[in-house]
């Protein structure tokens, strides 16, 4: 059976016949692309996710506080001991970094991969250049080239590589940088029909930062790390110019505590801040979203006046390679977001939703924590860890990130 017939059978089986309705009108290469998309799509999974769309999220989970260590309260002696252990691991080439750069950055609205966004500081630098500079600094300090893996998406992979090539990897050794593409998932309309792009292809997007583990396995990244003798992997975001990609204390702390993972937290700015916080869920490490906990819980304090659920998850986590293997290749649960979209409807008309009315599905990295028996939480200082570039303006925008970046590096 040829690909067209195979695709036709599939769309019929899953009541998605509209996907092939405009097939004849497509250019030859687009025809092939569409067929490939259909053959690659996991329709069973989509059906299942769609079935869950209107189900209430389980409220039966038992959410309890997780213990944490405040880095600023460690003694000089402890800090030195952890720093030394972390440094040893780096010097022994046991440390690698993964940057999650596959997001669409829709809120920022930057034309291009988010890492190419230029921070207007003096001298101006893109986020990617800022990270390269950090890695070069570490290279100088320890005489070690840390392997750097970047997760991209189908959408931004070429543009990301092109940017690095054009800038000669900002003089970081090119052979130490590896790109890998995360999986994607189609968007659905309210009736569970897969959306088509304006060109008549399946409209899909990256499957969330939780796609990191399967992408690392499926692209041979874990294997590559093991071959190189990597034991510790920092997985962090692309949209934080002061992200501590190399925190010796964090690495040494993980080694000393003999845990498989450490999550970096910063304390919540206030009880109502809209962030997810580390917790235990049914006894296992997790993150509880602000929408999931009551006002009382979010305001609860301990005997020292500290918020009981106050350790914000900032997407900066350290994993032992064994933890990554334990988490494995299985897909994490999908969460739905309702978004506006521009798409081709079943009559071939291009429609832009006026109100959010399309489903986008994403997995979250912190849903992997539950697969680990335990993890340590290390609290850092907001001003030393977190300058997010999320929105075009206002909170967590380039303007706020620049101010934080300048304060951190003490520049005018
Ligand atoms: P966000 O959750 O803030 O998403 O990403 P985003 O896609 O960058 O921005 P919006 O929501 O569309 O405005 C947090 C981190 O996770 C990465 C992002 O690149 C960022 O480093 N990410 C997110 C991925 O790598 N893949 C994804 O599918 C989603």
């Amino acid at each position: 059976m040829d690909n067209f017939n195979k695709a036709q059978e599939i769309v019929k089986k899953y009541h998605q016949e509209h996907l092939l309705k405009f097939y004849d009108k497509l250019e030859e290469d687009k025809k092939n692309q569409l067929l490939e998309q259909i053959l690659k799509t996991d329709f069973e999974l989509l059906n299942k996710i769609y079935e869950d769309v209107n189900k209430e999220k389980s409220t039966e989970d038992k959410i309890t506080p997780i213990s944490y260590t405040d880095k600023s309260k460690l003694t000089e002696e402890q800090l030195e001991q952890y720093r030394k252990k972390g440094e040893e691991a780096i010097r022994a080439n046991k440390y690698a970094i993964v940057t999650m750069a596959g997001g669409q950055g829709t809120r920022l609205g930057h034309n291009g991969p988010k890492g190419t966004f230029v921070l207007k500081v003096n001298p101006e630098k893109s986020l990617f250049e800022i990270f390269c500079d950090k890695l070069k600094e570490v290279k100088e300090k320890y005489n070690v080239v840390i392997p750097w893996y970047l997760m991209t998406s189908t959408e931004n992979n070429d543009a990301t590589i092109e940017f690095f090539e054009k800038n000669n990897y900002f003089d970081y050794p090119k052979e130490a940088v590896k790109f890998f593409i995360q999986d994607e998932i189609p968007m659905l309309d309210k009736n569970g029909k897969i959306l088509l792009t304006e060109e008549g292809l399946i409209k899909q997007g990256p499957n969330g930062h939780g796609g990191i583990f399967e992408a690392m396995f499926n692209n041979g990244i874990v294997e590559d790390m093991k071959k190189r003798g990597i034991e510790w992997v920092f997985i962090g975001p692309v949209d934080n110019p002061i992200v501590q990609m190399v925190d010796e204390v964090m690495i040494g702390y993980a080694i000393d505590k003999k845990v498989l993972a450490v999550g970096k937290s910063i304390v919540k700015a206030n009880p109502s801040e809209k962030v997810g916080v580390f917790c235990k869920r049914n006894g296992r490490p997790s993150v509880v979203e602000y929408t999931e906990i009551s006002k009382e819980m979010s305001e609860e304090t301990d005997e020292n006046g500290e918020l009981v659920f106050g350790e914000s998850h900032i997407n900066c986590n350290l994993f032992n390679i064994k933890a990554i293997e334990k988490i494995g290749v299985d897909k994490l649960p999908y969460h739905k977001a309702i978004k506006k979209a521009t798409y081709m409807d079943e009559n071939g008309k291009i429609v832009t939703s006026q109100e959010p009315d399309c489903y986008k599905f994403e997995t979250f990295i912190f849903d992997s924590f539950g697969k680990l028996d335990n993890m340590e939480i290390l609290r850092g200082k907001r001003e030393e860890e977190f300058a997010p570039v999320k929105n075009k303006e206002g909170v967590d925008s380039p303007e706020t990130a620049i101010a934080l970046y300048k304060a951190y590096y003490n520049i005018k």
Side-chain angles (χ1 to χ4, degrees):
M1 202 185 322
D2 66 12
N3 279 355
F4 180 81
N5 286 317
K6 274 191 213 156
Q8 205 172 31
E9 231 173 56
I10 294 173
V11 297
K12 205 163 158 219
K13 177 168 173 202
Y14 293 99
H15 309 295
Q16 301 281 358
E17 288 93 338
H18 65 289
L19 295 179
L20 286 173
K21 201 166 158 191
F22 310 104
Y23 178 81
D24 290 338
K25 296 198 181 122
L26 299 180
E27 308 265 335
E28 214 48 46
D29 63 325
K30 293 278 182 276
K31 280 184 177 162
N32 290 332
Q33 226 176 309
L34 177 63
L35 295 183
E36 265 172 40
Q37 282 184 323
I38 293 174
L39 296 182
K40 251 187 85 185
T41 297
D42 188 341
F43 287 85
E44 284 295 334
L45 175 73
L46 270 180
N47 266 358
K48 206 187 146 301
I49 299 172
Y50 180 67
E51 267 171 32
D52 289 344
V53 142
N54 293 318
K55 280 195 196 139
E56 285 292 313
K57 254 190 165 176
S58 158
T59 48
E60 279 144 39
D61 286 347
K62 191 163 181 285
I63 307 295
T64 50
I66 192 163
S67 60
Y68 62 87
T69 296
D70 187 342
K71 200 172 158 186
S72 72
K73 296 209 172 117
L74 295 173
T75 62
E76 260 317 306
E77 215 172 40
Q78 285 170 315
L79 281 172
E80 200 37 47
Q81 181 200 345
Y82 297 147
R83 201 176 290 129
K84 215 167 137 237
K85 285 193 171 164
E87 196 182 311
E88 273 165 21
I90 297 170
R91 285 192 191 276
N93 294 300
K94 290 181 179 169
Y95 186 68
I97 296 167
V98 179
T99 296
M100 301 183 290
Q104 290 178 305
T106 43
R107 286 170 287 170
L108 183 63
H110 164 62
N111 186 14
K114 219 177 192 180
T116 66
F117 183 80
V118 172
L119 225 53
K120 297 252 178 345
V121 286
N122 190 12
E124 285 190 1
K125 281 183 193 179
S126 65
L127 291 164
F128 283 143
E129 181 172 4
I130 290 171
F131 302 147
C132 281
D133 284 354
K134 178 83 216 173
L135 294 178
K136 282 190 292 185
E137 208 184 289
V138 178
K139 178 171 168 273
E140 275 295 296
K141 192 167 164 192
Y142 298 130
N143 197 22
V144 163
V145 176
I146 296 180
W148 186 23
Y149 303 87
L150 288 110
M151 179 169 80
T152 61
S153 66
T154 310
E155 204 173 315
N156 73 16
N157 182 65
D158 291 356
T160 304
I161 296 178
E162 209 176 283
F163 185 77
F164 273 86
E165 287 286 334
K166 199 175 82 196
N167 290 291
N168 196 27
Y169 291 71
F170 301 98
D171 294 330
Y172 194 64
K174 181 179 167 170
E175 56 290 351
V177 185
K178 264 199 166 63
F179 304 90
F180 64 102
I181 304 177
Q182 71 176 108
D183 205 358
E184 44 186 5
I185 181 159
M187 284 183 77
L188 301 182
D189 72 9
K190 281 257 158 104
N191 302 314
K193 297 284 179 206
I194 294 175
L195 296 184
L196 285 172
T197 64
E198 291 154 83
E199 288 179 297
L201 296 173
I202 290 183
K203 190 172 180 77
Q204 42 195 354
N207 64 348
H209 45 63
I212 183 91
F213 299 102
E214 50 165 330
M216 280 171 64
F217 281 100
N218 293 341
N219 290 288
I221 302 298
V222 179
E223 215 179 290
D224 188 68
M225 287 173 170
K226 282 167 71 178
K227 226 166 38 206
R228 291 176 192 238
I230 300 297
E231 283 180 20
W232 293 100
V233 183
F234 174 77
I235 304 185
V238 75
D239 51 7
N240 174 6
I242 61 169
V243 55
Q244 299 298 321
M245 297 166 93
V246 186
D247 180 347
E248 293 87 344
V249 172
M250 190 183 192
I251 307 165
Y253 180 76
I255 297 170
D256 191 78
K257 297 286 170 211
K258 299 189 170 57
V259 284
L260 290 185
V262 177
K264 178 72 71 66
S265 72
I266 56 166
V267 76
K268 248 175 133 173
N270 57 66
S272 56
E273 195 189 5
K274 293 180 173 169
V275 290
V277 292
F278 285 100
C279 69
K280 287 219 161 171
R281 190 182 291 271
N282 306 323
R284 293 186 159 261
S286 182
V287 165
V288 62
E289 298 196 70
Y290 66 92
T291 46
E292 268 185 283
I293 52 170
S294 61
K295 190 165 178 288
E296 291 71 49
M297 272 171 97
S298 63
E299 289 175 350
E300 199 183 332
T301 49
D302 64 14
E303 63 281 5
N304 304 317
E306 300 260 21
L307 290 173
V308 169
F309 294 99
E311 302 310 305
S312 312
H313 173 254
I314 53 169
N315 237 332
C316 294
N317 302 296
L318 178 71
F319 296 88
N320 188 283
I321 195 87
K322 287 190 194 125
I324 294 175
E325 292 194 301
K326 211 164 175 181
I327 290 166
V329 73
D330 291 348
K331 283 210 164 40
L332 297 175
Y334 276 97
H335 300 255
K336 71 157 193 265
I338 305 177
K339 304 252 176 187
K340 290 183 188 174
T342 298
Y343 57 94
M344 189 196 280
D345 74 6
E346 294 192 23
N347 303 313
K349 232 178 76 192
I350 308 302
V351 182
T352 298
S353 23
Q354 298 304 311
E355 293 301 323
D357 62 352
C358 300
Y359 292 124
K360 184 169 186 271
F361 301 102
E362 281 194 325
T363 53
F364 298 148
I365 189 168
F366 49 77
D367 280 326
S368 68
F369 300 163
K371 295 198 185 184
L372 306 174
D373 297 330
N374 208 351
M375 77 189 272
E376 288 282 330
I377 310 302
L378 187 64
R379 182 199 281 180
K381 285 190 185 145
R382 181 177 287 260
E383 63 274 21
E384 292 175 1
E385 305 276 352
F386 195 53
V389 185
K390 297 280 180 198
N391 304 309
K392 220 177 172 57
E393 44 201 26
V395 226
D396 298 343
S397 64
E399 197 188 332
T400 55
I402 287 169
L404 291 161
Y405 179 87
K406 283 183 174 171
Y408 180 71
Y409 284 105
N410 203 9
I411 49 177
K412 295 256 176 295

